[in-house]
Coordinates of all heavy atoms in Angstrom, one line a residue:
M1 N 3.0 -3.9 0.2 CA 2.0 -3.0 0.6 C 2.5 -2.1 1.8 O 3.2 -2.6 2.6 CB 0.8 -3.8 1.1 CG -0.6 -3.3 0.6 SD -1.0 -1.8 1.1 CE -1.4 -2.2 2.8
G2 N 2.1 -0.8 1.8 CA 2.4 0.0 2.8 C 3.4 1.1 2.4 O 4.2 0.9 1.4
A3 N 3.3 2.3 3.1 CA 4.2 3.3 2.7 C 5.5 3.2 3.5 O 5.5 2.6 4.6 CB 3.6 4.7 3.0
H4 N 6.5 3.9 3.1 CA 7.8 3.8 3.9 C 8.4 5.2 3.9 O 8.1 6.0 3.0 CB 8.8 2.8 3.4 CG 9.2 3.1 2.0 ND1 8.6 2.8 0.9 CD2 10.3 3.9 1.6 CE1 9.2 3.2 -0.2 NE2 10.3 3.9 0.2
L5 N 9.0 5.5 5.0 CA 9.7 6.8 5.1 C 11.1 6.9 4.4 O 11.9 6.0 4.8 CB 9.9 7.1 6.6 CG 10.2 8.5 7.0 CD1 9.3 9.5 6.6 CD2 10.4 8.5 8.6
G6 N 11.2 7.7 3.6 CA 12.6 7.8 2.8 C 13.6 8.5 3.6 O 13.4 9.1 4.7
D7 N 14.8 8.5 3.1 CA 15.9 9.1 3.8 C 15.8 10.5 3.8 O 16.4 11.2 4.7 CB 17.2 8.7 3.1 CG 17.6 7.3 3.2 OD1 17.1 6.6 4.2 OD2 18.3 6.8 2.4
D8 N 14.9 11.2 3.0 CA 14.7 12.6 3.0 C 13.6 13.0 3.8 O 13.1 14.2 3.9 CB 14.4 13.0 1.6 CG 13.3 12.3 0.9 OD1 12.7 11.4 1.5 OD2 13.1 12.6 -0.3
G9 N 13.1 12.1 4.6 CA 12.0 12.4 5.6 C 10.6 12.5 4.9 O 9.7 13.1 5.6
R10 N 10.4 12.0 3.7 CA 9.1 12.0 3.1 C 8.6 10.6 2.9 O 9.4 9.7 2.9 CB 9.2 12.7 1.7 CG 9.6 14.1 1.7 CD 10.0 14.6 0.3 NE 10.4 16.0 0.4 CZ 9.6 17.1 0.1 NH1 8.4 16.9 -0.2 NH2 10.1 18.3 0.2
Y11 N 7.3 10.5 2.8 CA 6.7 9.2 2.7 C 6.5 8.7 1.3 O 6.0 9.6 0.4 CB 5.3 9.1 3.4 CG 5.5 9.2 4.9 CD1 5.6 10.3 5.6 CD2 5.5 8.0 5.6 CE1 5.8 10.4 7.0 CE2 5.7 8.0 7.0 CZ 5.8 9.2 7.7 OH 6.0 9.2 9.0
Y12 N 6.9 7.5 1.0 CA 6.7 7.0 -0.4 C 5.9 5.7 -0.3 O 5.8 5.2 0.7 CB 8.1 6.7 -1.0 CG 8.8 8.0 -1.3 CD1 9.7 8.5 -0.3 CD2 8.6 8.8 -2.3 CE1 10.4 9.6 -0.4 CE2 9.3 10.0 -2.5 CZ 10.1 10.4 -1.7 OH 10.9 11.6 -1.9
G13 N 5.4 5.3 -1.5 CA 4.6 4.1 -1.5 C 3.1 4.3 -1.4 O 2.7 5.5 -1.6
E14 N 2.4 3.4 -0.9 CA 0.9 3.5 -0.8 C 0.5 3.1 0.5 O 1.0 2.3 1.2 CB 0.2 2.7 -1.9 CG 0.4 3.2 -3.2 CD -0.4 2.3 -4.3 OE1 -0.9 1.3 -3.8 OE2 -0.6 2.8 -5.3
L15 N -0.6 3.8 1.1 CA -1.4 3.5 2.1 C -2.8 3.2 1.8 O -3.2 3.6 0.8 CB -1.3 4.5 3.3 CG 0.0 4.7 4.1 CD1 -0.1 5.8 5.0 CD2 0.4 3.5 4.8
R16 N -3.5 2.5 2.6 CA -4.9 2.3 2.4 C -5.8 3.3 3.2 O -5.4 3.4 4.5 CB -5.4 0.9 2.7 CG -4.9 -0.1 1.7 CD -5.5 -1.4 1.8 NE -5.2 -2.3 0.7 CZ -5.7 -3.6 0.6 NH1 -6.5 -4.1 1.6 NH2 -5.4 -4.3 -0.3
C17 N -6.7 3.9 2.6 CA -7.7 4.7 3.4 C -8.3 3.9 4.5 O -8.6 2.8 4.3 CB -8.9 5.2 2.5 SG -10.1 6.1 3.2
R18 N -8.3 4.5 5.7 CA -8.7 3.8 6.9 C -10.2 3.6 6.8 O -10.7 2.9 7.7 CB -8.4 4.6 8.1 CG -6.8 4.6 8.4 CD -6.5 5.2 9.7 NE -5.1 5.0 10.0 CZ -4.5 5.3 11.1 NH1 -5.2 6.0 12.0 NH2 -3.2 5.1 11.3
W19 N -10.9 4.3 5.9 CA -12.3 4.1 5.8 C -12.7 3.1 4.8 O -13.5 2.2 5.0 CB -13.1 5.5 5.6 CG -14.6 5.3 5.6 CD1 -15.4 5.4 4.5 CD2 -15.4 5.1 6.8 NE1 -16.6 5.1 4.9 CE2 -16.7 5.1 6.3 CE3 -15.2 5.0 8.2 CZ2 -17.8 4.9 7.1 CZ3 -16.3 4.9 8.9 CH2 -17.5 4.8 8.4
C20 N -12.3 3.4 3.5 CA -12.8 2.5 2.5 C -11.6 1.6 1.8 O -11.9 1.0 0.9 CB -13.3 3.4 1.4 SG -12.1 4.5 0.6
E21 N -10.4 1.8 2.3 CA -9.3 0.9 1.9 C -8.9 1.2 0.5 O -8.2 0.3 -0.2 CB -9.5 -0.5 2.1 CG -9.9 -0.8 3.6 CD -9.7 -2.3 3.9 OE1 -9.8 -3.1 3.1 OE2 -9.4 -2.6 5.1
T22 N -9.2 2.3 0.0 CA -8.7 2.8 -1.3 C -7.2 3.0 -1.3 O -6.7 3.6 -0.2 CB -9.4 4.0 -1.8 OG1 -10.7 3.8 -2.1 CG2 -8.7 4.6 -3.0
H23 N -6.4 2.6 -2.2 CA -5.0 2.9 -2.2 C -4.7 4.3 -2.5 O -5.2 4.9 -3.3 CB -4.3 2.0 -3.2 CG -4.3 0.5 -2.8 ND1 -3.1 -0.1 -2.3 CD2 -5.2 -0.4 -2.9 CE1 -3.5 -1.3 -2.0 NE2 -4.6 -1.5 -2.4
I24 N -3.9 4.8 -1.6 CA -3.5 6.3 -1.7 C -2.0 6.4 -1.9 O -1.2 6.0 -1.0 CB -3.8 7.0 -0.4 CG1 -5.3 6.8 0.0 CG2 -3.6 8.5 -0.5 CD1 -5.6 7.0 1.5
K25 N -1.6 7.0 -3.1 CA -0.2 7.2 -3.3 C 0.4 8.3 -2.4 O -0.3 9.3 -2.4 CB 0.0 7.5 -4.7 CG 0.0 6.3 -5.7 CD 0.5 6.7 -7.1 CE 0.6 5.4 -7.9 NZ -0.6 4.7 -8.1
Q26 N 1.4 8.1 -1.7 CA 1.9 9.0 -0.8 C 2.7 10.1 -1.5 O 2.7 11.3 -1.2 CB 2.8 8.4 0.3 CG 2.0 7.5 1.2 CD 0.8 8.1 1.8 OE1 0.9 9.2 2.4 NE2 -0.4 7.5 1.7
G27 N 3.5 9.7 -2.6 CA 4.2 10.6 -3.5 C 5.1 11.6 -2.8 O 5.2 12.7 -3.3
G28 N 5.8 11.1 -1.8 CA 6.8 12.0 -1.2 C 6.2 13.1 -0.3 O 6.8 14.2 -0.3
R29 N 5.2 12.8 0.4 CA 4.6 13.8 1.4 C 5.3 13.8 2.7 O 6.0 12.8 3.1 CB 3.1 13.4 1.6 CG 2.2 13.5 0.5 CD 0.9 12.9 0.8 NE 0.2 13.7 1.8 CZ -0.5 14.7 1.5 NH1 -0.8 15.0 0.2 NH2 -1.1 15.3 2.5
H30 N 5.3 14.9 3.4 CA 6.0 15.0 4.7 C 5.1 14.2 5.8 O 5.7 13.8 6.8 CB 6.2 16.4 5.1 CG 7.3 17.1 4.4 ND1 8.7 16.7 4.7 CD2 7.4 18.0 3.4 CE1 9.4 17.5 3.9 NE2 8.6 18.3 3.2
K31 N 3.9 14.2 5.6 CA 3.1 13.5 6.5 C 2.2 12.4 5.7 O 1.8 12.7 4.6 CB 2.0 14.4 7.2 CG 2.7 15.3 8.2 CD 1.6 16.2 9.0 CE 2.2 17.0 10.0 NZ 1.2 17.8 10.7
P32 N 2.1 11.1 6.3 CA 1.4 10.2 5.6 C -0.1 10.6 5.4 O -0.7 11.2 6.3 CB 1.5 9.0 6.5 CG 1.8 9.4 7.8 CD 2.6 10.8 7.7
R33 N -0.6 10.2 4.3 CA -2.0 10.6 4.0 C -2.8 9.4 4.3 O -2.6 8.3 3.7 CB -2.2 11.0 2.5 CG -3.5 11.5 2.3 CD -3.6 12.0 0.8 NE -4.9 12.4 0.5 CZ -5.4 12.5 -0.8 NH1 -4.6 12.2 -1.8 NH2 -6.6 12.9 -1.0
L34 N -3.7 9.4 5.3 CA -4.4 8.2 5.8 C -5.8 8.1 5.2 O -6.4 7.0 5.3 CB -4.6 8.3 7.4 CG -3.3 8.5 8.1 CD1 -3.6 8.7 9.6 CD2 -2.3 7.4 7.8
Y35 N -6.3 9.1 4.6 CA -7.7 9.0 4.0 C -7.7 9.5 2.6 O -7.0 10.5 2.3 CB -8.7 9.9 4.8 CG -8.7 9.4 6.3 CD1 -7.9 10.2 7.1 CD2 -9.5 8.4 6.7 CE1 -7.9 9.7 8.5 CE2 -9.5 8.0 8.0 CZ -8.7 8.7 8.9 OH -8.7 8.4 10.2
C36 N -8.5 8.9 1.7 CA -8.4 9.2 0.3 C -9.2 10.6 0.2 O -9.0 11.2 -0.9 CB -9.1 8.1 -0.6 SG -10.9 7.8 -0.2
R37 N -10.1 10.9 1.0 CA -10.7 12.2 0.9 C -11.2 12.7 2.3 O -11.3 11.9 3.3 CB -12.0 12.1 0.0 CG -13.1 11.1 0.5 CD -14.1 10.8 -0.5 NE -13.5 10.0 -1.6 CZ -14.1 9.6 -2.7 NH1 -15.4 10.1 -2.9 NH2 -13.6 9.0 -3.6
G38 N -11.4 13.9 2.4 CA -11.7 14.5 3.7 C -12.9 13.9 4.4 O -13.0 13.7 5.6
T39 N -13.9 13.6 3.6 CA -15.1 13.1 4.2 C -14.9 11.7 4.9 O -15.5 11.4 5.9 CB -16.2 12.9 3.2 OG1 -15.8 12.2 2.1 CG2 -16.7 14.3 2.6
H40 N -14.0 11.0 4.4 CA -13.7 9.7 5.1 C -13.0 9.9 6.4 O -13.1 9.1 7.2 CB -12.9 8.8 4.0 CG -13.7 8.3 2.9 ND1 -13.3 7.4 2.1 CD2 -15.1 8.6 2.6 CE1 -14.3 7.2 1.2 NE2 -15.3 7.9 1.5
R41 N -12.2 10.9 6.4 CA -11.6 11.2 7.7 C -12.7 11.5 8.8 O -12.7 11.1 9.9 CB -10.7 12.5 7.6 CG -10.0 12.9 8.9 CD -9.7 14.4 8.8 NE -8.9 14.8 7.7 CZ -7.6 14.7 7.6 NH1 -6.9 14.4 8.7 NH2 -6.9 15.1 6.5
W42 N -13.7 12.3 8.4 CA -14.8 12.7 9.3 C -15.7 11.5 9.6 O -16.2 11.4 10.8 CB -15.6 13.8 8.7 CG -14.8 15.1 8.9 CD1 -14.2 15.8 7.9 CD2 -14.6 15.8 10.0 NE1 -13.6 16.8 8.4 CE2 -13.7 16.9 9.7 CE3 -15.0 15.6 11.5 CZ2 -13.4 17.8 10.7 CZ3 -14.5 16.5 12.3 CH2 -13.7 17.6 12.0
K43 N -15.9 10.6 8.7 CA -16.6 9.4 8.9 C -15.9 8.6 10.0 O -16.5 8.0 10.9 CB -16.9 8.6 7.6 CG -17.9 9.2 6.8 CD -18.1 8.2 5.6 CE -19.2 8.8 4.6 NZ -19.5 7.9 3.5
T44 N -14.7 8.4 9.9 CA -13.9 7.6 10.8 C -13.9 8.3 12.1 O -14.1 7.6 13.2 CB -12.4 7.5 10.3 OG1 -12.4 6.9 9.0 CG2 -11.6 6.5 11.2
Y45 N -13.8 9.5 12.2 CA -13.8 10.3 13.4 C -15.2 10.2 14.1 O -15.3 10.0 15.3 CB -13.5 11.8 13.2 CG -13.5 12.7 14.3 CD1 -12.6 12.5 15.3 CD2 -14.7 13.5 14.6 CE1 -12.6 13.4 16.5 CE2 -14.8 14.3 15.7 CZ -13.7 14.2 16.7 OH -13.8 15.0 17.8
G46 N -16.2 10.3 13.3 CA -17.5 10.1 13.8 C -17.8 8.8 14.4 O -18.5 8.7 15.4
M47 N -17.4 7.7 13.7 CA -17.5 6.4 14.3 C -16.9 6.3 15.6 O -17.4 5.6 16.6 CB -16.9 5.3 13.3 CG -17.8 5.2 12.1 SD -19.5 4.6 12.4 CE -19.1 2.9 12.9
R48 N -15.8 6.9 15.8 CA -15.0 6.8 17.1 C -15.8 7.5 18.1 O -15.9 7.0 19.3 CB -13.6 7.5 16.9 CG -12.6 7.0 18.0 CD -11.2 7.4 17.6 NE -11.1 8.8 17.6 CZ -10.1 9.6 16.9 NH1 -9.2 8.9 16.3 NH2 -10.1 10.8 17.1
V49 N -16.3 8.7 17.9 CA -17.2 9.4 18.8 C -18.4 8.6 19.2 O -18.7 8.5 20.4 CB -17.7 10.8 18.3 CG1 -18.7 11.4 19.1 CG2 -16.5 11.7 18.1
V50 N -19.1 8.0 18.2 CA -20.2 7.1 18.5 C -19.8 6.0 19.5 O -20.5 5.6 20.4 CB -20.8 6.5 17.2 CG1 -21.8 5.5 17.4 CG2 -21.4 7.7 16.4
G51 N -18.6 5.4 19.2 CA -18.0 4.3 20.0 C -17.9 4.7 21.4 O -18.2 4.0 22.4
V52 N -17.4 5.9 21.7 CA -17.1 6.5 23.0 C -18.5 6.6 23.7 O -18.6 6.2 24.9 CB -16.4 7.8 22.9 CG1 -16.5 8.5 24.3 CG2 -14.9 7.6 22.5
F53 N -19.4 7.2 23.1 CA -20.8 7.3 23.8 C -21.4 5.9 24.0 O -22.0 5.7 25.1 CB -21.7 8.2 22.8 CG -21.5 9.6 23.0 CD1 -20.9 10.4 22.0 CD2 -21.9 10.2 24.2 CE1 -20.7 11.8 22.1 CE2 -21.7 11.6 24.4 CZ -21.1 12.3 23.4
A54 N -21.2 5.1 23.1 CA -21.7 3.7 23.3 C -21.1 3.1 24.6 O -21.8 2.4 25.3 CB -21.6 2.8 22.1
A55 N -19.8 3.3 24.8 CA -19.1 2.7 25.9 C -19.6 3.3 27.2 O -19.8 2.7 28.2 CB -17.6 2.9 25.7
I56 N -19.8 4.7 27.1 CA -20.4 5.4 28.3 C -21.7 4.9 28.7 O -22.0 4.7 29.9 CB -20.3 6.9 28.1 CG1 -18.8 7.5 28.0 CG2 -21.1 7.7 29.2 CD1 -18.8 8.9 27.6
L57 N -22.5 4.8 27.7 CA -24.0 4.5 28.0 C -24.2 2.9 28.2 O -25.2 2.6 28.7 CB -24.9 4.9 26.8 CG -24.9 6.4 26.5 CD1 -25.6 6.7 25.2 CD2 -25.5 7.2 27.7
G58 N -23.2 2.2 27.8 CA -23.3 0.8 28.1 C -24.2 0.2 27.0 O -24.9 -0.8 27.3
Ligands
ZN101 ZN1 -11.6 6.5 1.5

């Protein structure tokens, strides 16, 4: 499990979406793909923002 960086500077293998854990084939990308779709990136980002406000407000 997990992607690895090839000798050519591209990522191979699979990573899991940080939101829903769907397997994402990297397929030789220059940057690892962390989310299966854009909305999951925003959901994860939104949760982080909510966490920051929760920490501030106690
Ligand atoms: Zn996802």
Side-chain angles (χ1 to χ4, degrees):
M1 226 294 287
H4 64 275
L5 187 60
D7 292 337
D8 55 0
R10 294 169 184 263
Y11 287 87
Y12 294 95
E14 292 184 345
L15 288 176
R16 283 189 173 183
C17 174
R18 289 190 173 182
W19 183 257
C20 68
E21 301 198 338
T22 293
H23 288 259
I24 307 159
K25 282 191 169 60
Q26 300 301 309
R29 297 171 63 91
H30 283 288
K31 289 184 177 180
R33 192 175 171 201
L34 302 178
Y35 303 94
C36 66
R37 61 191 71 185
T39 54
H40 287 185
R41 180 204 306 270
W42 285 105
K43 283 184 178 184
T44 306
Y45 178 75
M47 288 298 289
R48 201 168 64 200
V49 171
V50 169
V52 168
F53 275 110
I56 291 171
L57 298 173

